[in-house]
Amino acid sequence: MSEVRSNLRGAEAPVRELRYQRVYDLVLRLIEENGLRPGDKLPSTAELTKLADVSVISVRRALDELDHDGVIERHQGVGTFVAEPKLVSEPGRSGALLGTISDDARTVAFETRLVGLSVGMPGLNHVRALNIQEGQPVWEISRVRLRGGRLTVAERATIPLSLVPAIDEEQLADGSSLYELLAQRYGIVEAYAEQVFQVDRPSQWEREQLELSPTDVVMRVRGVSYTEDDVAFDSYQQTYRADEYVFYVQGRRSDSQLVRPGAGGSWAVRSLGSAQPPAAAAAE
């Protein structure tokens, strides 16, 4: 305990402020205090250098951090702008895929395209996941989701033919929810799911569906959906563009907001004694 007290007393001495952090905080305040929206232009590197009274190197470091955190986006030769907020995906929430994606600011509009609908023989992993016999046929349904004309999610659903003898291809092609169709026609309702998350380079299929390069990064969710009676009815894979989404998993208390899924800004811990630049300086 004496060692802890000693360390705290030592921390009371003035600590040199990280200059790039000063710029980082300045940009956050400029956005908040001026009510800037996605697409609004931010001060140039030269202007930020004067406002924060730091070097160009510090400004560039701060902009790199802000870009990495999804706060800003930079366009070569054009400028720096407030970034579009990342969508929040709650894969742990039961229901259709689009019902688990939200944006605090506005309604999220998606276009759904049916890529393929076929009957086939499942591989061993699907057999185990769905608890079915080898050689038992399944549906494979492939779809992609677009936001503003941009491909953003690719998904595959694998469903036993024994549970779902028929699927209306026209309804799926029109963008209808697969899970709503299963509920209406067969009384199959998802109660919970088991899921595995993986950040990875895209497979060939994922590259083709989302128009990605081999060096892009995706978030892949592999899961199995169950009914209230613990019957596995869907062995699925969802692939997201990793740079466009935040993934949020909530505990038992539905009203818990300790960590807001869309919260932006820095999660850094400041050294004791580091100074905060005055708010007035940001507005000058």
Side-chain angles (χ1 to χ4, degrees):
M1 191 60 142
S2 60
E3 181 181 350
V4 174
R5 290 197 187 99
S6 175
N7 288 341
L8 285 174
R9 282 196 297 270
E12 291 173 2
V15 179
R16 183 182 179 188
E17 180 187 11
L18 296 175
R19 294 181 179 179
Y20 85 89
Q21 187 69 53
R22 186 193 307 175
V23 182
Y24 190 109
D25 293 343
L26 171 61
V27 172
L28 291 181
R29 286 201 310 281
L30 284 172
I31 294 172
E32 181 177 356
E33 294 176 2
N34 292 284
L36 300 183
R37 306 294 300 167
D40 288 346
K41 193 171 184 178
L42 289 163
S44 66
T45 298
E47 290 169 328
L48 289 173
T49 300
K50 292 180 180 179
L51 284 171
D53 191 23
V54 297
S55 68
V56 172
I57 294 176
S58 295
V59 171
R60 288 175 179 168
R61 166 79 184 276
L63 294 179
D64 285 342
E65 294 285 336
L66 288 160
D67 195 0
H68 179 270
D69 290 346
V71 177
I72 66 168
E73 53 187 25
R74 291 178 285 183
H75 300 285
Q76 188 70 31
V78 180
T80 303
F81 302 83
V82 179
E84 285 284 345
K86 293 186 178 182
L87 296 177
V88 178
S89 174
E90 299 183 60
R93 186 199 297 179
S94 61
L97 170 67
L98 297 186
T100 68
I101 299 175
S102 63
D103 178 351
D104 287 341
R106 55 198 152 190
T107 302
V108 183
F110 286 93
E111 175 191 349
T112 299
R113 289 181 186 170
L114 179 64
V115 176
L117 173 64
S118 61
V119 174
M121 294 299 169
L124 186 57
N125 284 333
H126 283 307
V127 169
R128 291 172 175 167
L130 295 169
N131 193 27
I132 59 178
Q133 299 294 320
E134 289 189 58
Q136 182 175 331
V138 295
W139 292 102
E140 183 178 59
I141 304 143
S142 302
R143 291 173 294 178
V144 292
R145 315 288 189 168
L146 297 88
R147 181 194 185 202
R150 177 177 169 83
L151 293 160
T152 184
V153 185
E155 60 175 323
R156 280 173 163 168
T158 304
I159 299 175
L161 200 67
S162 59
L163 293 177
V164 182
I167 292 179
D168 192 321
E169 183 173 358
E170 288 188 6
Q171 284 186 292
L172 286 182
D174 288 340
S176 297
S177 165
L178 172 62
Y179 278 20
E180 288 181 7
L181 295 177
L182 295 182
Q184 292 168 3
R185 186 160 185 175
Y186 298 104
I188 297 174
V189 178
E190 183 190 38
Y192 66 96
E194 294 181 3
Q195 298 174 316
V196 175
F197 300 81
Q198 181 182 16
V199 177
D200 199 2
R201 300 294 183 188
S203 67
Q204 179 65 35
W205 183 82
E206 291 165 335
R207 293 201 299 269
E208 291 173 356
Q209 303 311 313
L210 296 178
E211 298 179 354
L212 300 171
S213 74
T215 58
D216 285 326
V217 177
V218 297
M219 170 64 87
R220 188 179 301 120
V221 180
R222 165 68 67 188
V224 181
S225 291
Y226 295 85
T227 66
E228 191 67 46
D229 298 327
D230 300 323
V231 175
F233 68 90
D234 182 14
S235 174
Y236 61 84
Q237 175 182 299
Q238 298 166 350
T239 304
Y240 301 77
R241 289 179 175 268
D243 60 342
E244 296 182 3
Y245 288 86
V246 173
F247 295 86
Y248 178 63
V249 179
Q250 196 173 51
R252 289 179 178 272
R253 292 187 58 184
S254 61
D255 60 344
S256 175
Q257 287 295 325
L258 177 62
V259 179
R260 293 186 65 252
S266 173
W267 285 76
V269 176
R270 295 183 175 282
S271 300
L272 291 175
S274 61
Q276 292 269 6
E284 291 178 358

